[in-house]
Amino acid sequence: MEFDMTHCTLCPRRCGADRTKAAGICGGRDSLRAARAALHPWEEPCISGTKGSGTVFFSGCVLHCRFCQNAVISAEPFGKDISAARLTEIFLELQEQGAHNINLVTGGHFIPWIARALEEARPALRIPVVWNSGGYELAEALMMLDGLVDVYLPDFKFFDPDTARNYALAPDYPQIAETALAQMLQQTGDRIWNGDLLTRGVIVRHLVLPGHRHESIALLHHLAERFGADAFLLSLMAQYTPMREDPDYPELNRRITKMEYNSVCKAAQDLGFDGYFQEKSSADASYTPDFSLQGI
Ligand code: SF4
């Protein structure tokens, strides 16, 4: 797709912002902005391995979920402007530190810059590249990453358009995320492993929300039917933590119960999904990384 910085339509918001003059809905302007680059031990075991994933957290986000677990960098302007050349250096520094992979978190609104940095790094990069996103991305934008990304790690957050509208003002989320997932699967093909580490393939994450277990189960049935339960690894997350009191959606003001999480896990197992199911005890705000411009 053609990227026009003065009329941005890079993501499904298609807000048309002139990013040389003002930020779009995503918070992105005309340069890369990142909040942290460091080895990260808390991804799925096949991504974090024993030494950690070389994670770069980008500032801003196209989704703005009302329950965001990383609001410090997604909604607030925290971070530092960097050039694509500096991002290339960061990739190589993370590789030097022993990272198992380069893990790009919520970079959808910076895809053209990131693609350039990856192209530059590629001759020296010996580790896989992981695209870690909220799943709300245009397939044509993802095509810019074809051949540059090895592992896709998208969320699939909502299945009901009303839930997506209420919690993220994005009623088209289910359809957009499904089309994006099809594109990711097409790019990666069959899963490839290096020992316990995934070096090519797709992992779909789903955070079970309080009061929404039936929606989660319906999503799993749909994905199994549409793509097949073995098309990707599934990571079912239990760590939903209310970050603030939400007066409009009080159902979001609690953690999920063991029963809710276990019922979704059982559905996933019955459908034949393979992947990662968390201990319910991991529902703790300490999973939120400390953003301090480390490594930027
Ligand atoms: S990437 Fe940002 S500026 Fe571009 S369309 Fe999406 S929200 Fe608007």
Side-chain angles (χ1 to χ4, degrees), residues 5 16 36 55 60 70 93 96 116 134 148 247 251 253 286 289:
M5 188 124 58
R36 180 180 159 92
T55 308
N70 279 345
E93 286 165 13
E96 195 61 29
R116 207 178 322 139
L148 298 171
E251 71 274 18
N253 295 336
S286 66

Side-chain angles (χ1 to χ4, degrees), residues 99-296:
H100 291 300
N101 43 53
I102 299 299
N103 181 354
L104 304 163
V105 183
T106 319
H109 46 302
F110 293 123
I111 284 180
W113 291 263
I114 295 171
R116 207 178 322 139
L118 286 171
E119 289 276 9
E120 286 296 315
R122 199 151 59 160
L125 208 54
R126 301 180 304 276
I127 52 180
V129 174
V130 180
W131 187 255
N132 184 334
S133 76
Y136 191 54
E137 293 162 302
L138 294 175
E140 51 268 41
L142 291 171
M143 284 177 197
M144 291 188 231
L145 299 171
D146 195 3
L148 298 171
V149 165
D150 303 286
V151 176
Y152 280 100
L153 183 52
D155 293 328
F156 208 122
K157 293 171 185 284
F158 316 112
F159 185 52
D160 183 337
D162 286 338
T163 310
R165 177 187 291 108
N166 291 343
Y167 294 167
L169 297 176
D172 59 351
Y173 179 94
Q175 173 244 315
I176 294 276
E178 184 172 326
T179 306
L181 177 55
Q183 170 62 212
M184 294 169 183
L185 289 166
Q186 187 184 319
Q187 286 186 24
T188 55
D190 293 339
R191 277 191 292 281
I192 299 177
W193 295 85
N194 177 11
D196 293 335
L197 296 169
L198 186 66
T199 58
R200 195 156 183 91
V202 177
I203 305 173
V204 173
R205 283 176 167 167
H206 177 69
L207 178 67
V208 180
L209 295 174
H212 287 274
R213 70 188 179 97
H214 293 297
E215 183 176 341
S216 295
I217 292 168
L219 168 67
L220 297 183
H221 278 271
H222 178 74
L223 292 179
E225 198 173 304
R226 167 79 166 78
F227 297 107
D230 59 354
F232 52 83
L233 296 173
L234 177 68
S235 179
L236 270 183
M237 300 189 295
Q239 79 263 39
Y240 174 81
T241 306
M243 306 304 276
R244 66 186 179 95
E245 193 74 10
D246 189 331
D248 298 325
Y249 295 98
E251 71 274 18
L252 291 176
N253 295 336
R254 65 166 174 88
R255 292 180 175 168
I256 62 169
T257 65
K258 208 172 183 116
M259 183 281 289
E260 284 175 310
Y261 185 66
N262 288 347
S263 69
V264 181
C265 288
K266 175 159 187 335
Q269 281 157 346
D270 290 347
L271 286 163
F273 282 107
D274 189 10
Y276 302 96
F277 303 157
Q278 285 176 336
E279 292 297 316
K280 174 61 183 62
S281 60
S282 65
D284 188 311
S286 66
Y287 267 58
T288 307
D290 167 30
F291 298 110
S292 56
L293 296 179
Q294 184 184 346
I296 297 299

Side-chain angles (χ1 to χ4, degrees), residues 8-11 13-17 19 24-26 28 62 109:
C8 183
T9 54
L10 188 58
C11 85
R13 299 290 188 196
R14 293 189 171 98
C15 75
R19 293 175 59 164
I25 291 173
C26 59
V62 300
H109 46 302

